[in-house]
Amino acid sequence: MLYAIISEDVFNSLEKRKLARPAHLARLQQLTDEGRLFVAGPHPSIDNNDPGDAGFTGSLVIAEFASLEQAQNWANEDPYVAAGIYAKVVVKPFKKVLP
């Protein structure tokens, strides 16, 4: 089943994000290589694909896991969690309807 992992950053997280990004992306690449990643990306702080120094307010990952517990465990082990970037992480089942 698909699960949405919705994360909210702490204030002024950009520098921490830059440091932890390679490890964060490596985990997402692993999901991609396994054919389990549906979509992933950050939420820019401003209405621009490249927010520059404004940074990001959080992230969204939608991926396939065997259970809600496995999705939650995967989310808890994110390098952004370990680095103190995420203030809050919510994991929910996701049902793709369209397109």
Side-chain angles (χ1 to χ4, degrees):
M1 178 168 197
L2 292 173
Y3 294 89
I5 301 169
I6 307 148
S7 307
E8 293 180 18
D9 283 22
V10 298
F11 178 73
N12 201 18
S13 63
L14 186 58
E15 291 308 313
K16 287 182 180 180
R17 269 181 170 268
K18 288 178 183 177
L19 293 173
R21 189 169 191 259
H24 173 77
L25 292 179
R27 293 180 81 237
L28 292 170
Q29 185 61 53
Q30 183 178 358
L31 288 178
T32 300
D33 294 346
E34 295 169 359
R36 297 171 42 207
L37 184 64
F38 180 67
V39 68
H43 301 286
S45 292
I46 59 174
D47 190 13
N48 192 310
N49 279 330
D50 183 4
D53 290 339
F56 301 93
T57 62
S59 301
L60 171 66
V61 174
I62 300 177
E64 185 177 341
F65 293 92
S67 67
L68 178 60
E69 181 181 6
Q70 283 188 1
Q72 185 69 60
N73 289 340
W74 187 91
N76 291 344
E77 295 173 6
D78 194 296
Y80 282 2
V81 171
I85 294 163
Y86 289 153
K88 179 180 178 183
V89 178
V90 175
V91 180
K92 298 179 179 186
F94 178 80
K95 181 181 175 184
K96 182 181 182 284
V97 176
L98 295 169

